[in-house]
Structure formats: C-alpha cells, structure tokens
Amino acid sequence: MPQRQPTTAAQPAGLAARRAALRLLDAILRRGEALEAALAHAAAGLEDRADRALVHAIVSATLRHMTDIDALIDSATRQRLASDAKARMVLRLSLAQALVLGTPGHAVVATALPLVDGGPRRLVHGVLGTLLRKGGALPDPPNLPKDVAGRWKGAWGGQVLAAARSLLSARAPTDLTLRASEDTAAWAERLSGTSLLPGHVRLSDAPDIAGLEGFSNGSWWVQDIAASLPGRLLGAGAGRHALDLCAAPGGKTMQLAAAGWQVTALDASERRLERLQENLTRTGLTAEVVTADVLQWAPEAPVDAILLDAPCSATGIFRRHPDVLYRAGPRHIAEMAELQAALLDRAAGWLRPGGRLVYATCSLEPDEGERQIERFLAAHPEMQAVAIDPTALPNSVKECAPGQLRLLPGMLSDAGGLDGFFIAHLSRSESD
C-alpha cells in the first residue's frame, strides 16, 4: 500500500489535496478545461480515493459559490485582486472549505498559507483571519455569475433564474433508464426509488452506482430524465435504421437499441466510443459503432431516423457540472451554434422521405435551441415539426411550440428537477 507522507510543520495534513485542488481550479478558470476531464491530471499522485474525492468536493463547492465568495474577498481587501491571481484562487478554495464544507478554520489556514509560498502570505492570512473571525455566511441559494444571470434572466425571466439558483445549491438526484420499461415498478421497489415515466427510476441520493443491483448485468444505465426524452420521442424502432450522431458515451444509443432500432452510433472520439462499446457490452445491446466526423462521413443510404444530440455549451447541466458557468461564454456559445447549424444541414440530407429527425442540446441558450431550429426550418422547407406525444413526457412537461420542448430550471421541482435541454422533433416531407 502507498505510504502517506508524515505530517510536519512544512507539510500539514491534507496539503497535497489542496495543491491538487488549486491546480484543478486553475485549469478550469484559466485554461477553460472541464472539471471532470482535468481532475485526473490535477490529482495525479494522490493514491487515496478519499483525497481525490476531497479535491473534487472542494473545487465543486468553490465553483457553486464563487460569485459570493469573490464578493466576500473583495469586502476584505483594499485593492481588488485580479481574477486569476493565485492569492484569490487560494482564498476561494479556503473560504469554500470553511463556509460550505465546514472545515475547521485552523485547518483551512494551515493548508492555505503553503499554497502561496513566495507570494502574499500575509495578505491571504489577513483576509482569511478577518473573514473567519466575522463568522460570515454565504447566501443560500448562491448567486450565479453576473453574465450568466443576465443572459438567463433576459431569456427566461426572474422565476427561472431563481429556480436555477436553487438547483445550484441542491444535490441532483440520480436517474436511471431501464433496458426493459415493463420492469419499471419492480426496479423502483428494488432500488428504493421513484418513477416519473415508464422505463425510468429516480434515486434521491448519490449511491455507489457500480455496486447497485442491476448494474453489472446491464438492466439499466445512468441518464438524467431530460437526456432520455430525445430518444423517447422516436418510439419503437421495429427494425428500422436510426443514426445516433455524436453518440458517445451511449445513453441514447442504448435507448434506441432497446426500443428495437437498428442503430449506427457515430462519434469522432475513439476514446469516448470505447466507453460506449463497454456500455453496450454490459447491457447486452447491439449497435454498429463508427469512429468518424459527422461533417466528413455519410451513410450508404437514407435512414428512417436521426438523433442529433449536438455538441453545445452544456449550460443546461450546470447543477451537476458547475464549471460550465465559467467556461461557456458568448464566444463559445456562438462557436457551438455555428457547428450545430452545419451538423443539422448535413444530417437533413440523410433522411428518407417521411423520416424523422430529433435535435437536442443540453443548453439553456436560445441560440443553441429555438433560434437554431428557426434558422434550420427556414433553410429547409422540406422539413416540418412533428407533434410530440404527451405520453412520452413526464407530467407537467409540455410542448413549448409545435414539435419543441424547452426544459428549464423549475420544472419537476417537487420531484428533484431535471437538466436544462432543448429538443426539436422534425420530419422530412413524404413528397420531396
């Protein structure tokens, strides 16, 4: 077993995890990396799973409350620290530990000061001491970054913005999609969960997924209920051919295969497709798996259905991945919208007459949803909206326009909420 470093005055307990947390926060805020993707590199050398979990917990808490933590820091400094200054980064992590995670003040200070060796230790010590002595508290729910709050309030209004703040502070439930929807009641009982739709089970806590009954034999997979709706709209496949574009890690591919579609799953990432193949193997489902760029590849013949879960800003999954609040700005959103338009235009030509297209993004940005489909339909008169079957939706979720769903913070709030999504259900004219 790996030996822990002895605790000394120069190496207080837990310092290695705090150094890793500082590296991770820097990767997210300065280099725009995703939290989950950057974690392995930032935490390299930490052998204990508990230490790696601590790194994740510290950085996640920091990101969820960073707007309010920054306000506290600014209240205790004469001159405003630069947003990317190491002193501010260390103070952010330290205050998140003290005010969110409940770490004792002496432990916070002991692990903070070595992080600014050669830097403004006195400043960090003074600010921490001042704020911890005051016994300050953070707003509950936390405030969103100002630019995000402004965009979402302008797009959806104050009520949705308030709901988004509440989601940011609450632990998201764990949703499962079942391989066999007829077993819904049985699995809900076995796993002590609830169901909002046939083929769905919701767990209120965050269990050890791999240790749950039904995981090893592939009876279900983890998938937020919002992410399951695009696949549900296509219904039973009856052996017809469907393309799942940008398919990895495979939740929608498995849905379509379980519903009887002959699926071709396409993704440009070979590494991510390995995970998709592992999921198919575990569940006993089959699909043709293709590594290719949608903008360079084409099917041999027109297909019956296409599911395009397009690359996007991912702002709709902020409650699980708070780093997106700081990585997805207007420039990134515009770049994603341009890519989505190209993918939609290319995919439209692959449908047979009467074939259906489901477009989805896990985004709360209208440019990646409503405006994208408005542009697409104007450019493709052969495509039209298809009414969405209300039985495929959870109670209280309804079309916002013909063939469109807009899933927003506040929906299903009594049941634990859901991720933000935009979904459009379209078909190609029979006569073109």
Side-chain angles (χ1 to χ4, degrees):
M1 295 180 63
Q3 298 295 312
R4 288 181 174 272
Q5 288 185 297
T7 299
T8 67
Q11 178 78 25
L15 180 59
R18 273 68 175 189
R19 289 196 190 282
L22 182 60
R23 290 193 294 270
L24 181 55
L25 188 64
D26 182 74
I28 294 165
L29 297 182
R30 277 206 314 116
R31 299 199 297 275
E33 298 180 27
L35 189 157
E36 304 297 339
L39 177 60
H41 184 264
L46 294 180
E47 302 295 337
D48 194 322
R49 287 183 61 186
D51 286 339
R52 297 170 72 88
L54 177 60
V55 172
H56 190 286
I58 291 172
V59 174
S60 180
T62 301
L63 294 170
R64 292 178 189 279
H65 295 269
M66 199 166 82
T67 297
D68 301 311
I69 288 173
D70 276 346
L72 275 181
I73 295 170
D74 292 341
S75 74
T77 56
R78 292 181 179 179
Q79 291 186 322
R80 189 181 187 281
L81 293 169
S83 294
D84 60 351
K86 178 180 277 192
R88 184 180 285 276
M89 294 285 203
V90 172
L91 287 168
R92 286 165 170 165
L93 294 168
S94 301
L95 290 169
Q97 292 171 73
L99 302 180
V100 181
L101 301 180
T103 306
H106 65 86
V108 169
V109 174
T111 53
L113 297 182
L115 298 181
V116 284
D117 278 345
R121 288 170 59 101
R122 289 182 62 185
L123 170 65
V124 170
H125 196 184
V127 171
L128 277 180
T130 297
L131 293 176
L132 295 180
R133 280 194 303 273
K134 286 182 177 179
L138 296 171
D140 185 20
N143 283 295
L144 292 161
K146 289 183 179 178
D147 58 336
V148 176
R151 281 202 320 268
W152 291 358
K153 185 175 182 180
W156 314 117
Q159 188 171 353
V160 169
L161 181 61
R165 291 180 60 196
S166 295
L167 287 178
L168 189 58
S169 66
R171 173 176 289 183
T174 300
D175 287 335
L176 311 178
T177 296
L178 305 181
R179 187 177 59 199
S181 61
E182 62 269 22
D183 297 334
T184 301
W187 278 114
E189 182 177 358
R190 289 179 193 175
L191 299 175
S192 300
T194 58
S195 178
L196 304 180
L197 276 174
H200 165 267
V201 173
R202 170 162 286 187
L203 309 179
S204 59
D205 55 4
D208 173 17
I209 293 297
L212 289 179
E213 180 184 0
F215 175 83
S216 59
N217 68 1
S219 295
W220 48 261
W221 53 91
V222 176
Q223 186 180 37
D224 189 83
I225 193 169
S228 77
L229 296 184
R232 289 174 179 270
L233 299 188
L234 289 176
R240 292 173 294 166
H241 190 192
L243 300 180
D244 183 7
L245 305 179
C246 311
K252 297 175 181 64
T253 294
M254 291 184 286
Q255 279 185 277
L256 295 175
W261 291 91
Q262 176 193 340
V263 185
T264 298
L266 190 83
D267 200 280
S269 171
E270 187 171 353
R271 180 183 60 82
R272 284 167 53 83
L273 282 177
E274 289 176 1
R275 184 177 170 195
L276 185 151
Q277 188 60 66
E278 290 170 359
N279 285 328
L280 288 172
T281 300
R282 180 174 63 84
T283 57
L285 297 167
T286 59
E288 179 188 14
V289 178
V290 178
T291 306
D293 184 340
V294 176
L295 296 178
Q296 303 297 325
W297 178 88
E300 294 180 357
V303 298
D304 299 289
I306 297 175
L307 199 164
L308 173 57
D309 186 3
C312 69
S313 65
T315 52
I317 60 173
F318 71 95
R319 64 181 183 152
R320 301 178 192 275
H321 302 281
D323 50 299
V324 302
L325 296 171
Y326 301 93
R327 294 190 296 107
R331 180 177 177 180
H332 180 63
I333 292 166
E335 289 172 352
M336 289 294 98
E338 184 176 349
L339 174 59
Q340 293 150 14
L343 294 172
L344 273 167
D345 290 341
R346 186 162 177 80
W350 298 343
L351 281 172
R352 66 163 181 79
R356 288 183 292 151
L357 168 66
V358 172
Y359 167 80
T361 56
C362 56
S363 168
L364 288 169
E365 315 302 329
D367 285 350
E368 299 182 279
E370 292 83 352
R371 293 172 192 154
Q372 188 67 258
I373 292 303
E374 181 181 7
R375 178 212 64 82
F376 176 73
L377 291 176
H380 293 270
E382 77 280 10
M383 301 294 295
Q384 57 270 317
V386 176
I388 293 175
D389 180 0
T391 65
L393 308 176
N395 288 338
S396 78
V397 175
K398 297 178 174 60
E399 282 185 323
C400 60
Q404 296 183 24
L405 293 175
R406 169 50 77 182
L407 307 179
L408 292 168
M411 291 183 175
L412 301 183
S413 57
D414 291 344
L418 77 175
D419 286 348
F421 254 81
F422 175 82
I423 305 167
H425 188 196
L426 311 171
S427 70
R428 187 180 185 94
S429 171
E430 292 274 7
S431 59
D432 70 286

